[in-house]
Amino acid sequence: MAAAESEQDPSSPSGEFLSFSARDTAQRWLAASDLKQEVYRHLALYVPRILCQGTGGRDSREEQREELGCQLLLLAPLEWFLLGAEPGAGLAHLQQNNRPSALCGHVFKVGEPTYSCRECAADPTCVLCMTCFLGSVHKEHRYRMTTSGGGGFCDCGDTEAWKSSPFCQTHLPDGGEAPEDPVSQLSPDLVARGYSLFSILLKYAVDLLTGDQQDQQDRQDRLPEGLEPPERADTYFCMLFNDEVHTYEQVIYTLQKAVSCSQREAVSFATTVDRDGRKSVRYGDFQFCDQAKSVIVRNTGRQSKPLRVQVMHSSVVAHQSFALKALSWLGGIIQYSDGLRRILCQVGLQKGEGENSTLVDHLMLNDSKMWKGARNVYHQLLMNSLLMDLKFKKIFAIQFAKNYRRLQTDFMEDDHERLVSVTSLSVQLFTVPTMARMLMVDQDLMGTIIRTFVDQLRHRDLQGRFQFDRYTAQQAFRFQRVQNLIGDLKYVLMSPPDQWTDPLRIKFLEGLDAFLDLLRCMQGMDPVVRQVGQHIEMEPEWEAAFTLQMKLSPVISMIQDWCRSDPEVVLVQAYRKVLSMLSQSSGGLPDGEQPLSLVLAGHQVETFRYQVSQERVSIHLPLCRLLAGLHVLLSRTEVATRFPEQLPLGELAPPLLMELPLRCLVLCAQVHAGMWRRNGFSLINQIYYYHNVKCRVEMFDKDIVMLQAGASMMDPNHFLMIVLSRFELFHVFSSADARKRYRDNKDLVQQNTLIEEMLHLIIMVIGERYVAGIGQVQPLDEVRREIIHQLSIRPMAHSELLKALPENGNKETGLERVIDSVASFKKPGVTGRGLYELRPEWNKHFNLYFHHYSRADQSKAEEAQRKSRRQNGEDTALPPPPPPPLCHLLGSLVNLLQCDVLLALEGAVLQWSVEPGGGSWTESMLQRVLHLVAMALLEEQQQLENRCGEEDVTFSYTCKITRPGEAPSSSGSILALLESLQNAPHLEVHKDMITWILKTVGTIKTIRERTSTSSTFTVSQGAGPEETGRDRDKAERKRKAEMARLRREKIMAQMSEMQKHFINENKDLFQQSLEEMEASTSAAEYSSPSSALTCASKVCVGPRRVGGADLRQLVTCILCQEEQEVRGAGKAMVLAAFVQRSTVLSRNHTCTPEPGRDPVFMHPDLPVGVHTASCGHIMHATCWQRYFEAVQVKEQRRQQRLRGNTSYDVENGEFLCPLCECLSNTVIPLLPHLATPGHSPDPPSLEAWLQTTSQLIAALHTCRKTPEGELEGAEPVPEGFRLDFSPHRPFSSSISEMITTFSLAVFKVGLKVEPDEQDGRVPVVGWSTCAFSIQSIERLLLDEDKPLFGSLPCRQDDCLSSLVRFGSACWTSVPQNTVYTHFSRLLAVLVPDRRVENSPCILNLDMFHLLVYSVLSYSSLHSLDQSGRSSVDVGHLHLLHLVTVAHLVQVLLTCSTGEVCMDQDGGGSEEEQLTLQLYCFLRKHLSSLPDVSPWQLWSRVKAGILPFLRAAALFFHYLNSAAPPADLVAGPGQWESLCSFLSLPPNLLLLYQTHQDLLDPLVLSWIQHPGVPPLLRGGIQHPGVAPLLPGGRVTRFPRESNRLIELPEDYSVLINQASSFTCPRSGGDKSRAPTLCLVCGAMLCSQSYCCQTEVDGEDVGACTAHTFTCGAGVGLFLRVRESQVLFVAGKTKGCFYPPPYLDDYGETDQGLKRGNPLHLCPDRYRKMERLWRQHGIPEVIGHAQEANQTLVAIDWQHL
Ligand SMILES: [Zn+2]
Ligand SMILES: [Zn+2]
Ligand SMILES: [Zn+2]
Ligand SMILES: [Zn+2]
Ligand SMILES: [Zn+2]
Ligand SMILES: [Zn+2]
Ligand SMILES: [Zn+2]
């Protein structure tokens, strides 16, 4: 850097600014014969002088200078030349005459919200910017909101992107068409200048950015001809380029070494390299730079490819950066005129010699060689120019498609993310349907994409199938990139054409050929062979194949959609193609081998010899499945119903077609039966995905379809025999005595499962008819059925339902269109989410064997259904729902139900079931058979009911089941078997179902008889006795059920009794939120003491108070369960507690009080307080100490074993409460109640008391120890006092020790210092936590309109009471002198004392803190009184009076608001008059006070002082254990009762008036404090007075409550706000994780290197750093992009919390994945706010981390 300074004269360009004239230069250019030469000469001269002077450490002034030079010397002449006029005016003129096209074209920034209309968008890639969206009709539609990943633009105005309403209000065309050729609107001169200038500039930029690729080595030193600098200095840059291989840390480390820069500079370099793609890290002569280069290469080249570094000449770098500026300039200029835009497009796409000779081609083809920043600039230009001009967009698209293969190959070699690759423009071109079709026809786009894709997957096995070996990271990376091609294919196929042309048909079918080639490579890939004997050694690779399948699934579906839209030609042709491809590739089926002949139930069939359990089988059968899909489509055509013989089904061999899918289904069954255990997890995963919603549409579902198709074209008996044979079950049913089961079979269990699976498969083949083309259904019926079955399991949230449904190409499931017809919505409360519940009328559509149920789903649904039926008093039979009729082509499927083989199966299973137990049959088996029987009966019944005329019904199941079984096992008919099973005791569960079957048989008989004999009498006969029998049964069952229920309840009750360990219970409670805990309030506690006292005597302070000393406190230690009384001399008992610093009461979020501050005086803004909370659990001090030591030891051991954190920091004294696991960091000692006051005959008056006290203080001040140890004072000691008196310690040593423990803990946390017993501030911080905790609770109660007493939960009540009693005893554990000093300083604020210096003015004091401190320290002073004439209570009361008067004055001084005085007439009450009197006294001395009416004054005073009085009441209540009056317990609390409780007159002014003579001089001294006038003026504080707060704002009373910031109702407002937020540290760069502080509203750049700061010697992220200034270490944030709330406490702790934003379905969207519009839920936000104000954040974090250990491992401090 030193070299740079010596070489350059920084003033030289500035001098030129003055003499240079852009206009003259432009004139010269106009006159020049060779414009290019002139312009180049200018650039060659100026560019290196203006740009890129030096490196690193550039300040913003230098940048500004560069910017200015660039504008004035380089760009201005261009503008003058182009416009032929002064640029400003010229551009305005251009814009005026422009007739812009209707396109919005707004290019999205990263993180900006985008909107897509789910009703009107042509596809999900069509989006609107926020402005357009808000001005469009779509905001009333169902829309989706996402955040942009950057790139892409607003589609407003593109008629092809929207099915309706393509324009927003702004972009609505105003009638007049945009001119055909916008260039014709410009003057010919301008056009000519535009052409020539644009050509020169664009060529210049392209040359510099793409360089000469032939000699890479030289490139950095070569400039295009005509640009060589006049003199060539030895100045170089060492340029570092970005790659995706090296990590941030590696780069930072290397840079520090190579260019010896600081860590911070290195971070900055690395950040820029990551953002812009390159950054010069060193500037100087060649040698200097080359040296750095070699260090970097050496350091990074060891493990991997080294970082890319180049030493470049400074002039080249300068021209390159100007090239980018020129491109941006071009992009800006063409915004003013569509004509100029068109000219630029023409220049860019002007053909030179040969292929790819246009400038745009040059750019595109060199894309992967450019650095990120350059790519971004020219991509942006392409979007602003070519993509905005419809004519040239088309030409560009053709060029793009022509170069497609090369661009993609380049991209594959490149390691940059796709977002910065030119290939990502495909979404802009291919999603326009007309464009996509044009490219398909002219450029064979579909085929090109597919072939490019296939070429990239090179590994094949011997059969030519894809082979994915071990999946290395590099392969995965490559594979990921290849998948983008499938994305492009999806764009092209997104919308099927409405109009087919012959060329399109030809090209589509050609494309299909290519696609079938691709599928053929997948057919049969990753085959598996069953492992017997031993486990597989290595899990085979399976993920790649499934990823491929998953990615291709939507494409396969789209191809089917295309085929469907042209059924006569394309569909039939496609069907033929698939069929022939399938027969070519089915080499896996062995022919020529001796077929196997099967005979069963009098039928015979021949089939392959093949066993799934022995030979290779594959799950990947995309060809078969595509054929199945097309078959269904054919079935939907008209031809299928009218002339099925015309369909291309002739060559089909049904057994051959269904063979492979059947094998796959058998494989699943065998895996299920445990036959493939040794094949490991890879197979289990594959089977899982096969059924999973992401894959099943093009896998499992299609296999079922294929079986249905096969079965419909075959003899049903043959079909079933082949199925039996593939399941390897044929022998079970074919043997002569099939109805007997051999029990010695060792694989019986396995075989049983296989039988169950096979029966299930048969049920599905016959019963699954909800695909249009199989059954006669509407498309939405399928979705509806899916939803019904999901909701039959349990009520579900919207997102759960969505996850269970497959998405189509448009990411739609159709859920919203049917959900309301089948389900009712239940709104969520403050927690949880909204749920959909199935309407009961849809229960009858429940099918237990729904094909998408997993076994777990099935049993859950079965249970739920049975339960609901029982509740409704119905029987529990779950018969199949009536199925929709089959389509014509598959009509013969029903015959399966009544074919001989199936009847034989049914008979066998029923026969086995006669015998109970034994394992030869299973309940599921029987259940499935009953289901099949029921299906058959339903079919027969339907046919009978629907027949028209006298035609015969062919279906005669009832007739067939009455036939006796086959010989030789002549064991009765199926019907007879059913009848005998009906009452079998071991089949109780199935009884209802069998009854249902028998009843239906009866009904069918009746129908048949009725039609044959026309008599209807038989119906009701026979039913009678059966009915009554059933009624009896039902009653009996009900009784049993009731008894069972009672028994269960009893057991439950016993269990919960026994549940001693209530941690879990408590956790639940906790999750139900804190406020519910509060419901269990301690109001009851007051009943006992208060009932003993009369209402009149309820006073909490002063000699008239009634104490609670006679109350005995018995507590139980949670650790040893021992009971113990709390006594001063007894064993110490402690309360687990958590102390934290808090800014919750402060409205000022910018100050950080320094650790060394003086805590004696609290500023009225309460900037940082110390809050103490407790879970209320009590232990022996000794028990706790032992527990804590154990925790410490455990932690040490744990740290040795495994590194990592716990949810609590033992080193900082943190632990979890042993009972409730609440985070704690110290314990509060429990102390007994104070003694009841001794009633002194005549308590001293205020005056006398003040005098005595002052005298005493004076004496203490001057006294010192004589060498003999005697005390001697210069001042007289008041009568009855003994200075050398040392009070006896009232507490046992264990209690004293605990007092010290707690004092030091509070001291350490409160002041952030190391504990020091000698520090005089120790007792003060102890008092301050009493005051602050009371204040914060008082504020919460007030804001929530809760009564002051009786509404606190026990734990808070116990905590405050022990805190205050601790406070009152604090002085006993510190040197007396310290306490005297504190007291004298406190008193000096109110009663001037010349010995005390720097007393703050009363406007800078919180009076409640003053009161608490002085009362608590007074005891120490009072202990010297040996006269026995006055009690400590007298002092308390006088202190209260004095502070109250001071507060009155404080309120009066600050109550002026400048509002207009509303003169309230009338005599004015006594209060008003007295207030006025005091106010007049103040005004007399402070003329700046405004005139305020007495009525207003009094009301202000009353409101202003109320919080103080309430807090004081709480304080004295706890201090003196005084019971509160009834109306403060229950109601809102009357002013009068509050005052009387505090022993104050309701007219507080009387306090002043009765002692006016005494008080006037005091008041005068207060207001004459030098600090008062400037504060009242709102100005700067007096220099002599130490400011407690910067800024010197005056606090007014009552203080406003602190709230979290207001959030907008619509979440997208936040997203928008965050998208324009730039990182404050890295020069206008977009922040990646913008995070909003909910306390102060600051937006932060979180989770990023750029914004890390050092706090206490550690680098922390922006959020953590912010909490230290804003929240004393605790923070609440909203991570805007993630829609997630972040809680942080301290440096290591944090958790995520659900955001207060919900979608219309009552769900949050953490991570913004679903994109439903989100709205603020005020209740949830308020709940969060309360949590914060209750100081509950650390506790929530603690519990969250305990519940989820992974949260502990997160580096919260880096967020
Ligand atoms: Zn827009
Ligand atoms: Zn618009
Ligand atoms: Zn719409
Ligand atoms: Zn104990
Ligand atoms: Zn606890
Ligand atoms: Zn903040
Ligand atoms: Zn940042």
Side-chain angles (χ1 to χ4, degrees), residues 1307-1513:
F1307 177 71
K1308 184 178 126 191
V1309 175
L1311 295 185
K1312 287 180 86 178
V1313 289
E1314 282 308 304
D1316 174 12
E1317 277 190 60
Q1318 302 307 316
D1319 196 309
R1321 295 174 295 175
V1322 171
V1324 183
V1325 186
W1327 301 328
S1328 88
T1329 192
C1330 296
F1332 189 82
S1333 304
I1334 289 178
Q1335 261 176 329
S1336 78
I1337 281 175
E1338 184 277 326
R1339 181 33 63 106
L1340 276 170
L1341 292 173
L1342 189 73
D1343 287 345
E1344 285 168 18
D1345 279 335
K1346 287 190 181 156
L1348 189 56
F1349 294 98
S1351 51
L1352 285 180
C1354 283
R1355 61 182 218 156
Q1356 278 181 9
D1357 199 53
D1358 290 350
C1359 174
L1360 288 186
S1361 132
S1362 49
L1363 259 186
V1364 173
R1365 271 183 257 156
F1366 153 80
S1368 72
C1370 223
W1371 63 275
T1372 59
S1373 65
V1374 286
Q1376 294 281 85
N1377 258 328
T1378 316
V1379 187
Y1380 302 151
T1381 318
H1382 290 319
F1383 183 79
S1384 66
R1385 287 187 65 197
L1386 291 163
L1387 192 67
V1389 175
L1390 302 180
V1391 184
D1393 182 343
R1394 62 192 159 71
R1395 282 174 301 263
V1396 177
E1397 285 171 1
N1398 284 340
S1399 269
C1401 88
I1402 61 162
L1403 289 181
N1404 266 339
L1405 276 178
D1406 177 62
M1407 288 300 164
F1408 180 66
H1409 274 75
L1410 184 68
L1411 174 72
V1412 171
Y1413 292 6
S1414 49
V1415 164
L1416 293 178
S1417 55
Y1418 176 67
S1419 305
S1420 149
L1421 216 66
H1422 183 262
S1423 70
L1424 303 181
D1425 183 356
Q1426 296 299 303
S1427 67
R1429 262 176 308 185
S1430 139
S1431 72
V1432 70
D1433 294 284
V1434 176
H1436 289 173
L1437 189 61
H1438 288 320
L1439 282 169
L1440 174 63
H1441 286 182
L1442 208 52
V1443 175
T1444 309
V1445 172
H1447 199 24
L1448 278 176
V1449 172
Q1450 193 183 21
V1451 174
L1452 280 174
L1453 287 179
T1454 57
C1455 74
S1456 62
T1457 55
E1459 281 169 35
V1460 192
C1461 318
M1462 297 193 296
D1463 261 320
Q1464 195 86 4
D1465 270 324
S1469 62
E1470 193 192 0
E1471 285 97 337
E1472 290 170 15
Q1473 282 170 5
L1474 289 178
T1475 317
L1476 188 64
Q1477 196 186 329
L1478 176 56
Y1479 192 64
C1480 289
F1481 177 72
L1482 297 175
R1483 271 189 84 189
K1484 208 164 84 192
H1485 298 279
L1486 281 171
S1487 49
S1488 62
L1489 291 179
D1491 190 12
V1492 186
S1493 79
W1495 167 80
Q1496 239 175 340
L1497 280 177
W1498 171 239
S1499 71
R1500 292 260 170 84
V1501 165
K1502 220 174 141 177
I1505 208 165
L1506 184 67
F1508 168 80
L1509 294 182
R1510 286 165 50 94

